[in-house]
Structure formats: structure tokens, C-alpha cells
Amino acid sequence: MMDFILRSQADAVIRMERWDERMEKRMEQSEKRMEQWEERFDKQQQKSDEAKADIRQAAKLIHETARLARNHEKRIRSLETSKRQSARRFEGMRDVVRILVRLGALEGKRLARLEKK
């Protein structure tokens, strides 16, 4: 009987050791999986950070381009208004020349009348 008890205890100890070994293997596997997951997560995080930096840089470039375009449009508008003003000035100068020509013609007619008298 004692032999049976010793044998069953030995079997229990062997089962317990095997169970411990299996649990250790499972723990090691889960730790490896966890490390792999952390590495993947770190890589994804790094890619995400790089993408965010690229997006920020692109946004800055877009804003800068928009600002330059607005300034360019303002410059074009101011040039157009100055062209209009100079065109008006030239039109005004034409009117002045016309008036001077008319005045010259009227003055010439007056002088001609005065000379005839």
C-alpha cells in the first residue's frame, strides 16, 4: 500500500512539474508575443509621429502658399487700380489737350477777328 501511495505522490509531483513547465512555456510565449506587440506598437507610433510631422509641414507650406497668393493678388489689384488711375490721368490729359486745342482755335479766331477790324 505504501508503494501505491508513493507512486501516486510521485505521479502527482511529475504532473505538477509538467504543468509548471507548460505554464512557464506559455508565460514565455506570452512575453514574446507582448514584446513583439510592443515593437510593432512602437514602430506604428513612430510612423504615426512621422506622418503627423509631415502633415504639419504640409499645412505650414499650404498656409505660406495661401499667404503669398493673397499678397500677390493684393499687389495685382493695387497695380490694376494704379493703371486705372493713370489711364484716368491720361484721359484727363487728353481732355486738357483737347480743351487747349479748342482754346487755341478760339484764340486764333478772336485774333483773326481783331485783325480784320
Side-chain angles (χ1 to χ4, degrees), residues 19-37:
W19 185 82
D20 286 341
E21 288 174 3
R22 278 186 267 147
M23 288 307 287
E24 285 178 23
K25 285 182 183 178
R26 288 181 182 166
M27 288 299 288
E28 288 173 4
Q29 289 175 350
S30 64
E31 287 175 4
K32 285 181 185 177
R33 287 183 193 141
M34 188 66 144
E35 288 174 4
Q36 291 173 352
W37 183 83

Side-chain angles (χ1 to χ4, degrees), residues 41-90:
F41 178 76
D42 290 341
K43 287 179 184 178
Q44 289 296 326
Q45 189 69 30
Q46 189 176 16
K47 287 180 184 178
S48 174
D49 292 342
E50 291 172 1
K52 286 178 187 177
D54 290 343
I55 290 171
R56 283 190 200 111
Q57 185 178 8
K60 285 180 184 178
L61 290 173
I62 289 169
H63 287 295
E64 181 67 19
T65 304
R67 186 182 63 78
L68 291 173
R70 281 192 302 273
N71 290 343
H72 186 69
E73 288 174 6
K74 285 181 185 177
R75 225 176 300 141
I76 288 172
R77 275 190 234 119
S78 67
L79 286 174
E80 286 175 351
T81 55
S82 70
K83 284 180 184 177
R84 285 183 208 138
Q85 290 171 352
S86 63
R88 288 179 196 148
R89 249 184 267 132
F90 291 139

Side-chain angles (χ1 to χ4, degrees), residues 8-22:
S8 66
Q9 283 182 344
D11 286 343
V13 168
I14 291 172
R15 272 189 255 122
M16 193 70 152
E17 286 176 359
R18 287 181 183 166
W19 185 82
D20 286 341
E21 288 174 3
R22 278 186 267 147

Side-chain angles (χ1 to χ4, degrees), residues 86-111:
S86 63
R88 288 179 196 148
R89 249 184 267 132
F90 291 139
E91 287 175 6
M93 292 296 287
R94 278 190 220 130
D95 292 340
V96 169
V97 170
R98 286 180 191 157
I99 292 170
L100 287 175
V101 168
R102 287 180 191 163
L103 285 174
L106 290 174
E107 188 68 26
K109 288 179 184 178
R110 263 192 214 156
L111 286 176

